[in-house]
């Protein structure tokens, strides 16, 4: 998928969540999907600024966290600036 890079920090746990944000056809609305980048990467050193174009491909999965289930692309290949 192609979109823009975004990051969310859970202030309670300090966990970072990375996402690709995608605009709809008229660019009035957006959706995003979390991804976990394949390999070892440190935030913020290895990541671009929020809003940078990104292409992400990975394995879709759901995972539990607390009492909720979430989805993401795991083991993702990520190319920034595309």
């Amino acid at each position: 998928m192609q979109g823009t890079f975004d990051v969310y920090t859970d202030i309670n746990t300090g966990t970072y969540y990375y996402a690709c944000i995608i605009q709809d056809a008229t660019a009035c609305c957006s959706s995003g999907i979390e991804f976990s980048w394949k390999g070892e990467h440190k935030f913020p050193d290895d990541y671009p600024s929020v809003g940078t174009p990104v292409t992400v491909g990975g394995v879709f999965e759901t995972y539990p966290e607390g009492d909720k289930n979430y989805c993401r692309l795991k083991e993702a290949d990520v190319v920034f600036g595309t």
Side-chain angles (χ1 to χ4, degrees):
M1 70 183 151
Q2 292 182 313
T4 57
F5 175 72
D6 205 352
V7 62
Y8 166 76
T9 306
D10 184 322
I11 60 171
N12 296 315
T13 65
T15 302
Y16 295 107
Y17 298 91
Y18 312 103
C20 179
I21 307 298
I22 304 164
Q23 295 290 324
D24 72 354
T26 61
C28 72
C29 305
S30 61
S31 295
I33 188 164
E34 178 188 349
F35 66 86
S36 60
W37 195 358
K38 183 176 19 179
E40 296 292 322
H41 307 281
K42 183 178 178 185
F43 184 79
D45 300 341
D46 299 323
Y47 289 81
S49 301
V50 168
T52 298
V54 62
T55 301
V56 180
V59 178
F60 183 82
E61 74 168 351
T62 59
Y63 67 97
E65 190 168 285
D67 61 348
K68 297 182 180 179
N69 284 317
Y70 297 92
C71 62
R72 69 178 164 204
L73 293 178
K74 70 176 184 174
E75 300 177 20
D77 291 313
V78 182
V79 178
F80 296 108
T82 58

